[in-house]
Amino acid sequence: MNVAVIVTAAGSSTRMKSSVKKEFIPFGDGTVLSAACNAFASFFGPDEKDQLAGITDSLLDNKPVLVSLVVTCPKGLEKETENALISPSLQNNLLRCGIKPVITPGGETRQQSVYNGLMATQELFRASLPPDIVLIHDGARPWLTPDVISNVLSFTEANGCAVPAVSSVDTLAVVTHDNCIVSYLDRSRTMRLQTPQGFNFGKLLAAHKQCIAEGRTDCTDDTTVWAACFGSVKICPGNDTNRKITYASDLRGLQL
């Protein structure tokens, strides 16, 4: 099972209110971005016996192989993004995988950025078979764990798509523009979606092209792109540690 990974880092990080783009913030032996990428490189890259210990039984007969890593970034920040991927652990694990990261400019929206990443991935395999599965991950989620990757792969292989999710723990309300509560959501039927989101590569690319042809620009993530063309996306177990950095407070008190 050939797996492509697209890590999105084309956002402006305005909510961080920082002079440093959040994906470029120092983290571990590199940056937030290199840690997000290394979650995949370390999952796919170790020796075979170590890798088999980290995946579910359903994948043992069709062992996943990482065949590409594409990172989207703001146009004009390609060099800075390349520098943000300099990490001894990431470089070592990518070497074991036998691949090099490809950096491509994103778009003004996440939908456009992922489409650019899909097209860059397709270009890599122009003379060969395309990947079976593509995993789309936020470059600001550096705490991704092997169990989540394994869950997404297993569910995607079985269902064609998968998104990791965790239960909502807070009371959820619908509010008006002037911040008045108008109704409450049933917490037992709400989930917090995470990444990586997994899809059949060819079908996700077709779905993106269909949305472009129909003039749809309102897809906030790839589950909405998929749902617009192929129906609902299967939920699989996520992990509470798989947090996304959005505000500066998300880094306070945490060991980097």
Side-chain angles (χ1 to χ4, degrees):
M1 178 170 57
N2 291 337
V3 180
V5 170
I6 297 173
V7 176
T8 60
S12 58
S13 302
T14 54
R15 288 177 290 184
M16 282 289 291
K17 297 182 179 180
S18 169
S19 59
V20 180
K21 182 171 166 59
K22 62 184 177 183
E23 291 89 352
F24 298 168
I25 292 173
F27 191 105
D29 67 349
T31 62
V32 169
L33 180 60
S34 68
C37 292
N38 195 40
F40 298 99
S42 62
F43 179 86
F44 291 97
D47 294 335
E48 182 175 351
K49 61 181 178 64
D50 296 325
Q51 182 185 21
L52 293 180
I55 65 177
T56 59
D57 290 342
S58 63
L59 294 177
L60 291 179
D61 293 334
N62 194 12
K63 192 178 71 173
V65 177
L66 183 64
V67 293
S68 66
L69 171 64
V70 170
V71 180
T72 69
C73 70
K75 187 175 182 179
L77 291 185
E78 290 86 352
K79 185 60 179 178
E80 290 84 350
T81 303
E82 181 181 347
N83 291 337
L85 293 175
I86 297 175
S87 152
S89 59
L90 174 60
Q91 298 304 316
N92 182 58
N93 285 322
L94 286 177
L95 184 63
R96 291 182 176 185
C97 293
I99 64 171
K100 294 181 179 180
V102 172
I103 299 171
T104 190
E108 295 182 0
T109 66
R110 179 185 176 84
Q111 182 180 342
Q112 294 171 346
S113 293
V114 172
Y115 175 72
N116 289 358
L118 290 168
M119 293 302 292
T121 302
Q122 183 183 53
E123 180 65 20
L124 291 174
F125 298 93
R126 182 172 50 178
S128 59
L129 290 175
D132 302 302
I133 286 175
V134 60
L135 303 180
I136 315 292
H137 187 57
D138 297 324
R141 289 186 189 267
W143 293 288
L144 175 62
T145 51
D147 62 299
V148 176
I149 298 175
S150 181
N151 290 339
V152 173
L153 286 171
S154 297
F155 275 69
T156 302
E157 183 184 30
N159 303 283
C161 57
V163 55
V166 293
S167 300
S168 299
V169 295
D170 299 312
T171 298
L172 302 174
V174 178
V175 301
T176 61
H177 291 298
D178 57 350
N179 295 323
C180 292
I181 296 175
V182 294
S183 63
Y184 295 90
L185 300 179
D186 182 354
R187 188 171 60 189
S188 67
R189 299 190 62 188
T190 63
M191 302 285 286
R192 292 178 287 136
L193 303 186
Q194 301 180 332
T195 67
Q197 298 177 358
F199 305 91
N200 174 282
F201 176 80
K203 294 183 72 172
L204 181 63
L205 180 55
H208 269 270
K209 289 181 177 179
Q210 181 175 324
C211 285
I212 292 173
E214 295 175 352
R216 292 201 56 170
T217 59
D218 59 337
C219 297
T220 55
D221 73 354
D222 292 281
T223 65
T224 53
V225 173
W226 183 276
C229 302
F230 299 114
S232 60
V233 176
K234 191 76 171 180
I235 292 290
C236 70
N239 192 312
D240 282 322
T241 63
N242 184 23
R243 301 181 300 276
K244 182 180 181 182
I245 297 170
T246 303
Y247 304 100
S249 59
D250 294 330
L251 290 170
R252 291 175 190 160
L254 297 174
Q255 183 174 356
L256 306 185

